Amino acid sequence: MSAVETAAEGGVTAGRREARSPWRAFGVLAIGVFLAVLDLFIVNIAFPDIQRSFSSASLSSLSWILSAYAIVFAAVLVPAGKLADIVGRKRVFLAGLLIFLTGSALCAAAPSVDFLIGARLIQAVGGAALIPTSLGLILPLFPAAKRATVIGLWAAIAGVGAAAGPPIGGLLVEASWRWIFLINLPLGLFALIRSAQIIPEIRDPERGRFPDLLGSLLLIIAIGTLTLGLVKGPDWSWDGRSLGAFAAAAVLLVLFTLRSARHPAPVVELPLLRPPAFALSALSTLLFFAAFAVLLLANVLFLTDVWQYSVTKAGLAFFPGPLIAAIVAALSGRLGGRYGSARVGAPGGFIFALASLWFLTSLGDQPHYLSEYLPGQLLGGIGVGLMLPAFTALAASTLPPARLATGIGVQTAFRQIGAALGLASFVAIVGSSTLASKSDFDGAWLFMAIAAAGAGITLTPLLRHRPHAAVEAPAPVTSA
């Protein structure tokens, strides 16, 4: 019996009694993770409709609806995970869910692009609190022998959210793109109430210092400046302004690293990056999500702008890839626990690269869905499903239980930074093109292939890696 279940056994409240069922708790926490992922995919599928609603805004301006979310999400993830280890993972999860729902309501009411971007920043703060705390609350509920399977299922939630996003988003956009944010409210409120009732509290028994807020701000400005240089590069003709943005980002990243090395509670605990399994999985995550973020936006725009699909039809056309990813992720988590996560994950990067090359070489200006688009979608879904559990499992295998929320936050931050840089790269690659023909997307698909192959190559040194004994240790302090 786990520490959480032992604590639950001695309680008298309904919350403690229900904590005996780890799968019930898993289901409630999964709703929060599902919403954070669903929102990402729904916003991508609704992007063309948002573009039409704010027709005077440029692609580079609208891209901040996605990029700003990813940047703030990345910078807040680790402080949220660290704060959760100190004050309690349940408290931070509930606060994050409430903030996320508030941001969703504001997004739905947005009267302008700038307001929408601001509301997305609020969403990002809330969403960043959900990811590391959810896994940090889930894993201690299960015995060590089942944790690889649980990680695979947790990662599969992302696949389910991805699969549900396109068709749900396509249907909701038929009424208005604002409904893609309103859909979060009923599910989120249910998860908020049930989590408060049945999830036991977990915290780090050593109670470290509060996280470094200035370091978080440095990271936001650094990645934001780098993104700005990429997004505005075509408009600025890659002149001194772009070079200045890149130089400023480099300086800020150096300052961020120095502060992380000296601060008692840094945003990134540099010792976490020392194990090769953590460092290489983090780098692979960044590269893969740079490719994945481009897929999410570029392929939706291709379907709606080149093939002239409606948003609903595009959502349904996009659906098979995320669906396959969800199915494969659930299976690959188990396979990773048996044969090694890198052995399962590394081929996923190369398969995704092949999917990108398929889009590059096989698509044409006229729609031929079954013969041209669907094979690439299925290949890409397999690649995503193999990779997602591997990243998390490799990172978690190096972490002591008391650092789970913090460490997963660091690993997930690399995912969001990769997504932000991928989106910025897409805007820079397409430049001022009209996106009216297949050739306008060739550079984006080539970028995806290179980044995904790089992600696979980065995992190859870990093919013989096995989990460290630290993850088998008892769970941290718990209470109901």
Side-chain angles (χ1 to χ4, degrees):
M1 183 175 288
S2 72
V4 174
E5 291 170 308
T6 301
E9 189 70 35
V12 296
T13 65
R16 288 173 181 169
R17 287 196 302 270
E18 293 195 64
R20 294 178 188 174
S21 172
W23 290 112
R24 184 177 298 166
F26 181 98
V28 173
L29 293 168
I31 295 174
V33 179
F34 172 80
L35 288 177
V37 176
L38 177 73
D39 191 74
L40 172 63
F41 280 81
I42 281 186
V43 173
N44 274 279
I45 202 68
F47 194 85
D49 205 59
I50 297 173
Q51 197 174 30
R52 284 189 290 271
S53 185
F54 301 112
S55 56
S56 61
S58 65
L59 177 63
S60 60
S61 296
L62 289 167
S63 70
W64 286 101
I65 297 170
L66 304 174
S67 296
Y69 182 93
I71 293 167
V72 173
F73 198 110
V76 176
L77 268 169
V78 181
K82 191 179 296 293
L83 185 65
D85 285 336
I86 296 170
V87 306
R89 296 172 189 173
K90 176 180 176 178
R91 289 185 178 91
V92 174
F93 179 85
L94 294 176
L97 190 52
L98 185 60
I99 293 169
F100 181 82
L101 295 177
T102 301
S104 297
L106 292 173
C107 286
S112 66
V113 172
D114 291 341
F115 190 99
L116 180 55
I117 293 171
R120 288 282 284 165
L121 298 182
I122 296 173
Q123 263 195 319
V125 172
L130 299 178
I131 301 299
T133 53
S134 64
L135 191 62
L137 287 167
I138 287 169
L139 282 185
L141 296 171
F142 292 87
K146 291 186 177 180
R147 289 179 186 172
T149 298
V150 172
I151 288 172
L153 292 173
W154 181 85
I157 296 168
V160 173
I168 292 176
L171 292 172
L172 292 173
V173 166
E174 288 296 316
S176 169
W177 60 263
R178 299 179 190 275
W179 280 97
I180 67 173
F181 299 108
L182 292 174
I183 193 66
N184 295 332
L185 301 183
L187 278 174
L189 289 173
F190 171 79
L192 188 70
I193 294 169
R194 291 299 287 156
S195 296
Q197 292 173 339
I198 73 171
I199 302 298
E201 182 61 280
I202 298 176
R203 63 178 63 85
D204 182 352
E206 296 181 3
R207 298 291 189 95
R209 293 175 178 266
F210 279 89
D212 178 17
L213 297 181
L214 178 58
S216 300
L217 184 61
L218 280 173
L219 182 60
I220 290 173
I221 298 173
I223 302 302
T225 303
L226 179 57
T227 302
L228 178 67
L230 289 169
V231 167
K232 298 296 289 184
D235 296 338
W236 290 343
S237 301
W238 303 101
D239 59 15
R241 290 170 290 184
S242 295
L243 296 177
F246 297 148
V251 171
L252 288 167
L253 286 173
V254 169
L255 292 175
F256 169 77
T257 303
L258 292 174
R259 184 169 179 84
S260 296
R262 297 173 182 174
H263 196 276
V267 175
V268 176
E269 295 180 13
L270 297 183
L272 290 178
L273 300 177
R274 289 174 185 163
F278 195 103
L280 291 175
S281 68
L283 177 58
S284 181
T285 299
L286 187 148
L287 291 170
F288 188 77
F289 273 87
F292 190 39
V294 174
L295 169 75
L296 297 182
L297 182 57
N299 281 24
V300 169
L301 291 177
F302 173 82
L303 291 172
T304 56
D305 291 357
V306 180
W307 280 9
Q308 295 294 302
Y309 279 13
S310 68
V311 173
T312 302
K313 188 174 181 179
L316 294 173
F318 201 79
F319 174 71
L323 177 63
I324 290 295
I327 295 170
V328 173
L331 298 174
S332 66
R334 294 185 178 186
L335 293 174
R338 180 178 300 178
Y339 300 109
S341 295
R343 292 183 180 181
V344 175
F350 299 115
I351 292 172
F352 191 94
L354 287 176
S356 305
L357 294 175
W358 175 273
F359 291 133
L360 175 65
T361 58
S362 300
L363 292 180
D365 287 331
Q366 300 303 314
H368 296 285
Y369 178 76
L370 292 178
S371 61
E372 293 183 2
Y373 191 80
L374 184 59
Q377 274 289 86
L378 297 179
L379 273 176
I382 293 170
V384 172
L386 291 173
M387 285 294 251
L388 288 184
F391 296 140
T392 306
L394 285 167
S397 72
T398 69
L399 299 170
R403 287 291 178 269
L404 259 179
T406 301
I408 295 302
V410 172
Q411 198 267 349
T412 312
F414 278 91
R415 180 182 77 180
Q416 297 303 123
I417 292 170
L421 296 179
L423 290 167
S425 298
F426 170 71
V427 174
I429 288 167
V430 300
S432 58
S433 61
T434 60
L435 301 180
S437 69
K438 181 262 180 183
S439 60
D440 292 335
F441 292 85
D442 286 349
W445 287 317
L446 182 60
F447 171 86
M448 286 162 49
I450 294 171
I457 291 170
T458 303
L459 289 185
T460 53
L462 302 177
L463 293 180
R464 296 185 179 181
H465 172 76
R466 284 292 183 270
H468 190 274
V471 296
E472 310 296 339
V477 172
T478 67
S479 62

